[in-house]
Amino acid sequence: MNELHLETSPYLLQHANNPVHWKAWNEKSLAQAQKENKLIIISIGYSACHWCHVMEHESFENDEVAAVMNAHFVNIKIDREERPDIDAVYMKAVQVMTGQGGWPMNVVTLPDGRPIWGGTYFRKNDWINSLEKLQEIYTQNPQTIFEYAQQLHEGLQSLSVIPKIDSPIEHNLDSLEKLIEKWQKSFDWDFGGMARAPKFMMPTNYEFLLRYGYQTQNQSLLDFTNLTLTKMAYGGLFDTLDGGFSRYSVDMKWHVPHFEKMLYDNGQLVSLYANAYKLTQNPLYKEVIEKTLTFVEKEWLTSEGSFYSALDADSLNAKNHLEEGAFYVWTKEELLELLGKDFDLFSEVFNINEFGHWEHGNYVLIQNQSLEQIAENQYIGIETLAQKKKTWEQKLYSEREKRSKPRLDDKCLTSWNAIMGKGFIEAYKALGNPKYLDIALQNADFITKNLWSAEGHLFRTYKNGKATINAYLEDYAHVIHVFIASYETTLDEHWLQNAKQLTDYSFDHFYDEKAAFFSYTSKTDEALITTHFEVEDNVIPAANSVMASNLFRLGIYFSNSYYENIAEQMVQNIIPTIDYPSAFSNWLNVLLNYSEQNKELAICGEKAFDYLGQINQQYLPNIIISGSKTDSKLPFLENRFEENQTLFYLCQNKTCDIPTADFQQIINKITLNS
C-alpha cells in the first residue's frame, strides 16, 4: 500500500494498492524530490476517465514499470478535479511540448517542478523506455535538460500575459458578425455541433448562439442551435432510459460516447435545454430536462443537499470484467427477448440496425427521426407511439438496473455543485416545478453551511462530512453565479449579499491589478511554477468570464461602479484577442450585455413574486431582473416601493422609463419579437 491510502479522493484511492510508490502533492513530497535531487513524475487523471484506468492496469499495476518509477523518480498522483490549478499549469506545458492534451496526463519535471517532458496515454513499453532515457540524460548530460526546462518555463510564463487595453472599445453587435461568419464554417448541418470527431457538447457555445440568434433575429443560428440540441437529445450521448448526458461522443453523430457522466456537463445542459425550451416549447427539451433531473436526484443528490461528482465509464460486464459502456449497451438478442412483437417498431425508433450498431454486436440506442416522422411512416398514432416509447424505456430501464452499475465518484466539488444548482434553478423557471427550486436552494444552503468557512474563504471539496482544499477562482465564480440566480428567482436579498461578500473576498485574494484579471489560485496558496489566469472558455466556461458576468450584474444591483469598471476592463482586454469564438463564447455572452437591447427591470410591490414567475418563464436573456414585495435598501430598488400597488421600472444604462403598473406594456417592451 502506498501513501495514497491516506487520501479521500476516489481517484487517488483507486491507485492506493499500485506497486508504484505514489505520493500525493504536498510539501513533503516536493521537498523529498529536492533533497534527493530526483526527477518528479506527475500523473494526473480523474475517477471517471476510461484511459486513465487503462494506463493504470497496463503500467501502474505492473511490477516492471513500478521498479523503474520507484528507483529513479518521486511519483506524484493528482486528481485533476481536486487540483485543477496543478492540472491547468502542466496541461499548458504538455500542449506546448506535444501540440495536444488530455487525460491521463503524465509529466516529468525537475526536482523544482519545472516540466521537461510529457504527454497523455503511453503504452507500457513506450512509458518504460521514455523514463529510462530521461533518467539517463538527467544523469549524464543534465545541462541540456536544465536549458530546455528554463526555455519552456519562460514560454509558459509568457502565455499568461494578456495585453491590457486602456482605451475603451465600442460595444456593438457588428463586431461579432465576422467572428460568427468564421465560426459557421465549422458547423455540422447534418447532426449539429462542430463538424469533427470527437464531439464535445460545449454548452456555453450554444447558450451564446441561442442568445445571439434571438437578439439579432438570426433564424439560421437558431435553427442550427435547435438542430444540435435535438440531435444530442436523440440518444447515444443522452441516456434516454434514465436521463443524463455522457461527456462526449467519439463520432460525428452524437452516438457512441465515452460513457462517463459528469455533474458539470449535466448541470450546464439542463440550463441550456431550459432556455431553449422557453424559446421553442419543444416537448423533447422538456423530456430531456425532466429525465436528467430525475437521474441527478436519484444518483447524485445526497441527504445533505450536495451533489456527487460523476459516474464511471466502465462497469463490470457479464464476465465480471470492467468494460467501457457495459452497463448501457444492448445486443439484438436481448432486445428481441424483452420486446417480443414490438421489436420491429422499437428498431425503427432506436435504430437497431447499421446506424445504431456500435461494435461486437452491441447497440447504443439512438433516434435519427422525430417520433412524429416515425408515426407517420409506420401509420400509427403519435400518442400511441409516444406511450409505447415510454413503456419500452421503463422495461429496459428495469432490466438494466439488474446489471452491475458504473462506479460512483462520491466527492462533492464546490463549483460543480453550484453549476448543477443553477441547472435546477433554470429548470424551475422554465417548467415551474417547485421541487426543482427546493433542491437548488437546499444545495445553496449546503454550500453556505459546509463549504464557506468562518474565515470567509470557500473550500474546494467535501467528503465524509469534511471540507478540504482551499477553493479556486472557479469555485468562487460559480457560487457567486448561483447565488445571484437564487436571488433572481426568489427575490431573497440574502443571496445577493452572500454573492457580494464572496466577490469582495475574491478581489482581496485573487485579483491581479497589473494583469486586470483574477488569478486561478488564491494569494494565500503555495505558488506553482507559473501564475495561471483562466480566460479561455472550455467545457466549463473560464472562471474569469463567469466573474465578469457576475460583476456586471452585481454592479447594477449595488450601483457599484468599481464592479462595473472591472467587468468592462476584462471584456475590453479579451475581445481583441479572440480568434476562435468557440473558445470565448461566454465572454461573447458577457459582451452582449453591453448591447442596446440589454435592459434592467425592477418589480416593486406585493405582487412582485407572481409577476417574476411569469417573466422567468419567457426567454429574455437581455433582461436583468430585480424586485421586492416590500421596501428595499438594495441600491437598485431604493425608493421604488409604494404601498398598495405593484410598479414596474424599466431601465437602460442608468436611465429609467416612467414607472407603470401595466404588466402587458412591460412585456411588450422587453420581448424582442413583439
Side-chain angles (χ1 to χ4, degrees):
M1 189 176 286
N2 56 50
E3 291 182 18
L4 297 186
H5 76 277
L6 301 170
E7 301 298 309
T8 58
S9 156
Y11 177 66
L12 298 185
L13 290 171
Q14 285 169 6
H15 293 76
N17 291 309
N18 294 168
V20 175
H21 296 163
W22 290 120
K23 300 173 181 297
W25 177 282
N26 52 45
E27 287 183 23
K28 180 184 169 188
S29 303
L30 299 172
Q32 180 184 333
Q34 297 263 30
K35 182 181 176 183
E36 298 177 4
N37 197 30
K38 282 187 173 181
L39 296 175
I40 302 172
I41 293 174
I42 298 173
S43 181
I44 304 177
Y46 58 99
S47 71
C49 166
H50 171 70
W51 288 102
C52 299
H53 301 322
V54 172
M55 189 165 177
E56 179 192 13
H57 178 65
E58 291 177 348
S59 296
F60 303 145
E61 292 177 353
N62 182 276
D63 290 332
E64 183 187 357
V65 173
V68 174
M69 293 175 68
N70 295 338
H72 304 297
F73 301 87
V74 171
N75 304 298
I76 296 178
K77 211 18 145 158
I78 292 172
D79 181 343
R80 70 171 292 261
E81 295 166 356
E82 280 195 340
R83 295 301 306 261
D85 57 332
I86 301 169
D87 177 65
V89 167
Y90 288 107
M91 180 62 77
K92 271 188 194 174
V94 168
Q95 288 171 332
V96 168
M97 289 186 282
T98 70
Q100 59 188 21
W103 300 276
M105 178 167 65
N106 296 283
V107 183
V108 176
T109 79
L110 294 176
D112 62 9
R114 288 181 295 164
I116 59 170
W117 178 85
T120 53
Y121 165 78
F122 293 92
R123 295 184 185 278
K124 174 191 156 189
N125 290 338
D126 294 338
W127 179 242
I128 291 174
N129 293 339
S130 298
L131 295 184
E132 289 178 337
K133 185 66 175 174
L134 283 165
Q135 178 59 25
E136 181 186 322
I137 298 171
Y138 184 60
T139 305
Q140 298 178 6
N141 192 12
Q143 193 57 39
T144 58
I145 284 184
F146 292 143
E147 289 171 1
Y148 177 71
Q150 183 58 29
Q151 290 172 357
L152 180 58
H153 187 230
E154 289 171 0
L156 291 175
Q157 288 178 314
S158 70
L159 286 175
S160 298
V161 179
I162 296 164
K164 190 172 180 180
I165 308 296
D166 292 322
S167 54
I169 60 172
E170 286 294 317
H171 296 305
N172 60 62
L173 298 187
D174 296 342
S175 63
L176 290 174
E177 285 184 12
K178 285 186 179 178
L179 287 174
I180 301 298
E181 282 175 20
K182 181 177 183 178
W183 195 356
Q184 284 177 305
K185 293 173 183 175
S186 303
F187 288 2
D188 179 347
W189 279 98
D190 293 319
F191 293 100
M194 298 302 107
R196 59 175 176 263
K199 259 185 174 164
F200 287 84
M201 295 159 300
M202 307 298 286
T204 303
N205 283 352
Y206 302 103
E207 287 282 13
F208 168 73
L209 291 173
L210 191 72
R211 179 178 176 183
Y212 183 79
Y214 168 77
Q215 288 191 207
T216 60
Q217 300 294 292
N218 186 325
Q219 194 59 46
S220 176
L221 286 183
L222 291 176
D223 289 345
F224 174 72
T225 303
N226 282 301
L227 169 72
T228 301
L229 297 192
T230 298
K231 294 294 187 180
M232 289 197 308
Y234 271 172
L237 186 80
F238 178 67
D239 181 359
T240 190
L241 301 189
D242 192 27
F245 289 84
S246 295
R247 201 162 73 89
Y248 64 94
S249 72
V250 299
D251 54 75
M252 295 278 285
K253 59 187 186 184
W254 306 109
H255 181 211
V256 178
H258 264 314
F259 289 89
E260 66 265 46
K261 291 180 180 178
M262 314 299 294
L263 184 68
Y264 62 81
D265 282 323
N266 285 282
Q268 292 181 93
L269 287 164
V270 167
S271 293
L272 172 59
Y273 276 90
N275 282 326
Y277 179 74
K278 288 182 188 180
L279 190 60
T280 65
Q281 298 296 298
N282 185 337
L284 176 64
Y285 298 172
K286 182 180 180 183
E287 179 186 336
V288 165
I289 295 165
E290 291 177 338
K291 281 182 175 178
T292 300
L293 293 186
T294 298
F295 160 77
V296 170
E297 185 182 355
K298 177 169 59 75
E299 299 291 346
W300 286 337
L301 180 63
T302 75
S303 58
E304 294 179 280
S306 62
F307 300 108
Y308 293 138
S309 293
L311 282 179
D312 206 330
D314 299 357
S315 56
L316 294 174
N317 59 22
K319 296 177 181 176
N320 216 34
H321 295 142
L322 279 177
E323 180 185 343
E324 185 185 10
F327 181 72
Y328 298 100
V329 300
W330 301 90
T331 65
K332 187 178 286 190
E333 292 71 28
E334 286 175 307
L335 295 171
L336 273 164
E337 187 175 336
L338 284 166
L339 298 163
K341 60 180 177 23
D342 270 354
F343 174 78
D344 288 342
L345 184 56
F346 178 92
S347 297
E348 286 296 319
V349 175
F350 288 116
N351 286 284
I352 310 306
N353 52 33
E354 189 176 338
F355 186 85
H357 181 253
W358 174 28
E359 62 181 13
H360 311 310
N362 289 316
Y363 291 84
V364 181
L365 304 184
I366 182 172
Q367 281 182 241
N368 62 352
Q369 301 177 77
S370 69
L371 284 188
E372 289 77 10
Q373 288 172 304
I374 297 167
E376 186 178 330
N377 294 343
Q378 298 296 315
Y379 304 103
I380 186 173
I382 181 61
E383 296 82 5
T384 304
L385 183 58
Q387 186 53 54
K388 276 185 174 291
K389 179 172 178 271
K390 272 188 183 175
T391 303
W392 297 333
E393 288 174 347
Q394 288 163 359
K395 184 177 284 191
L396 266 60
Y397 169 77
S398 298
E399 182 66 21
R400 202 176 75 177
E401 284 294 289
K402 299 172 187 175
R403 298 175 178 175
S404 177
K405 284 196 168 187
R407 293 176 291 187
L408 171 70
D409 185 328
D410 62 352
K411 69 178 180 293
C412 301
L413 296 172
T414 302
S415 60
W416 295 14
N417 269 250
I419 288 168
M420 192 71 246
K422 176 77 161 37
F424 273 94
I425 285 174
E426 296 302 334
Y428 164 72
K429 292 196 307 196
L431 304 183
N433 186 338
K435 179 183 182 182
Y436 296 157
L437 182 59
D438 289 344
I439 290 173
L441 296 179
Q442 186 184 2
N443 182 251
D445 280 329
F446 170 85
I447 291 172
T448 305
K449 291 171 185 171
N450 296 284
L451 292 165
W452 193 352
S453 74
E455 293 77 30
H457 70 86
L458 294 174
F459 289 100
R460 169 68 175 174
T461 66
Y462 181 89
K463 192 179 176 199
N464 300 332
K466 186 180 178 184
T468 56
I469 303 178
N470 196 23
Y472 306 104
L473 183 66
E474 173 188 299
D475 300 298
Y476 286 87
H478 287 287
V479 170
I480 293 165
H481 199 59
V482 78
F483 282 176
I484 294 171
S486 299
Y487 165 73
E488 292 172 340
T489 314
T490 64
L491 303 182
D492 183 344
E493 289 179 17
H494 103 274
W495 294 118
L496 266 192
Q497 296 299 337
N498 283 353
K500 185 178 188 304
Q501 192 175 335
L502 287 174
T503 299
D504 291 339
Y505 183 93
S506 300
F507 271 109
D508 290 341
H509 294 85
F510 292 87
Y511 189 64
D512 185 317
E513 286 193 19
K514 187 177 178 183
F517 287 101
F518 295 82
S519 65
Y520 194 77
T521 50
S522 168
K523 294 170 186 175
T524 62
D525 285 335
E526 195 74 26
L528 299 176
I529 57 168
T530 185
T531 304
H532 176 48
F533 297 97
E534 188 180 71
V535 295
E536 282 196 27
D537 297 316
N538 206 302
V539 175
I540 297 177
N544 270 290
S545 70
V546 179
M547 282 300 293
S549 174
N550 294 338
L551 291 171
F552 180 86
R553 298 179 104 80
L554 292 174
I556 290 168
Y557 289 137
F558 289 101
S559 296
N560 188 317
S561 59
Y562 181 68
Y563 288 178
E564 292 173 0
N565 292 340
I566 296 297
E568 190 161 9
Q569 180 72 62
M570 292 168 76
V571 174
Q572 224 167 260
N573 292 347
I574 282 292
I575 297 304
T577 71
I578 296 176
D579 185 23
Y580 294 97
S582 59
F584 296 90
S585 54
N586 198 51
W587 285 108
L588 298 179
N589 213 331
V590 178
L591 179 63
L592 290 180
N593 291 339
Y594 295 96
S595 76
E596 288 296 314
Q597 295 165 325
N598 230 71
K599 295 186 168 82
E600 304 93 43
L601 176 65
I603 314 170
C604 299
E606 60 184 26
K607 294 184 180 178
F609 192 75
D610 298 331
Y611 287 122
L612 175 72
Q614 294 181 59
I615 290 171
N616 277 338
Q617 283 184 325
Q618 301 191 50
Y619 182 63
L620 298 166
N622 55 311
I623 303 299
I624 291 177
I625 199 160
S626 182
S628 177
K629 294 170 71 174
T630 57
D631 195 20
S632 171
K633 295 301 179 189
L634 187 69
F636 185 65
L637 299 178
E638 211 164 7
N639 302 320
R640 287 184 166 171
F641 178 81
E642 292 188 24
E643 292 284 353
N644 302 320
Q645 59 179 326
T646 299
L647 294 174
F648 301 92
Y649 297 81
L650 188 62
C651 311
Q652 185 177 37
N653 198 20
K654 297 183 172 58
T655 303
C656 299
D657 295 348
I658 296 170
T660 178
D662 188 337
F663 180 57
Q664 191 55 52
Q665 181 187 7
I666 287 296
I667 290 296
N668 291 342
K669 283 188 175 182
I670 63 177
T671 306
L672 292 181
N673 57 4
S674 64

